[in-house]
Amino acid sequence: MAGLIVVNDEELSEKLKLIQKSEGAVLAPFDSWLILRGIKTLGVRLEKQQQNAMKIAKWLCTHKNVTKVNYVGLPEHEGYEISKSQASGFGAMISFNAKDVETVERVLAKVQLVMFAESLGGVESLITYPTVQTHAAIPEEMRQRIGVTDTLLRLSVGIEEAEDIIADLEQALE
């Protein structure tokens, strides 16, 4: 993670420079170089991830062990129209509900190409189980209210071939 601060106030600029020098709140040169290198291929990576996500979301919609697919790129998603009007793509995050907890457990144990890990936006496909990972500290009543149930899985789609990701999910869902 990194960021950029731009100000048009000289006094504020000087305060920020002091914080940088005294507290080290800046990236190391190598980290900065890695970001610059990654930005050069960001567009092609995102395009591939979005293409993959669309194929996978459509496929998940047809699977007998999946009860719901949440992907803003699907026309039936409640945010589809606004996303279409505001963005040039739909991203690479999909969440879906498996038919039961046993299916969730089987998927997490059997995926091979897709890794069971918490992260977002990498080049590799990752699957998470929000109930026990990212949302574990949220009270169950609130999780249920926002749709983070014990059958919800979240998929961060990478740049592998979509057919390979689908094949991995297929063998894990069966």
Side-chain angles (χ1 to χ4, degrees):
M1 301 279 275
L4 171 71
I5 300 175
V6 177
V7 297
N8 65 356
D9 180 312
E10 191 62 37
E11 184 180 337
L12 181 55
S13 177
E14 290 303 316
K15 287 179 182 179
L16 291 170
K17 286 178 187 175
L18 178 61
I19 291 170
Q20 284 180 291
K21 287 191 276 187
S22 61
E23 297 181 23
V26 295
L27 289 176
F30 184 67
D31 295 326
S32 299
W33 177 79
L34 287 173
I35 288 173
L36 288 172
R37 184 181 72 166
I39 286 173
K40 293 176 184 176
T41 60
L42 181 61
V44 293
R45 287 183 283 128
L46 285 174
E47 187 61 36
K48 176 68 172 170
Q49 288 173 294
Q50 291 179 132
Q51 289 171 1
N52 284 351
M54 184 63 76
K55 289 177 186 176
I56 293 163
K58 287 178 179 178
W59 174 81
L60 283 167
C61 286
T62 68
H63 200 282
K64 68 181 190 276
N65 291 331
V66 173
T67 60
K68 182 179 181 186
V69 177
N70 300 302
Y71 181 60
V72 74
L74 296 173
E76 59 270 18
H77 188 278
E78 63 189 27
Y80 175 80
E81 287 300 328
I82 193 163
S83 183
K84 189 176 171 185
S85 72
Q86 294 180 345
S88 61
F90 297 109
M93 293 300 303
I94 302 170
S95 65
F96 64 96
N97 291 84
K99 74 173 184 175
D100 52 38
V101 174
E102 292 75 27
T103 304
V104 168
E105 292 169 353
R106 189 171 58 251
V107 168
L108 297 177
K110 291 180 70 178
V111 286
Q112 297 170 8
L113 174 65
V114 177
M115 293 186 296
F116 178 32
E118 291 180 46
S119 189
L120 300 172
V123 295
E124 61 281 323
S125 294
L126 304 175
I127 195 164
T128 62
Y129 188 27
T131 296
V132 299
Q133 289 175 301
T134 55
H135 291 67
I138 298 173
E140 183 177 355
E141 180 184 300
M142 184 180 288
R143 283 197 319 258
Q144 293 292 325
R145 191 170 64 247
I146 63 173
V148 181
T149 67
D150 59 356
T151 62
L152 183 74
L153 290 168
R154 186 179 68 185
L155 183 63
S156 176
V157 179
I159 64 170
E160 307 93 345
E161 291 300 317
E163 293 75 17
D164 293 340
I165 300 167
I166 290 169
D168 191 31
L169 292 170
E170 173 69 33
Q171 64 82 29
L173 278 162
E174 291 307 314

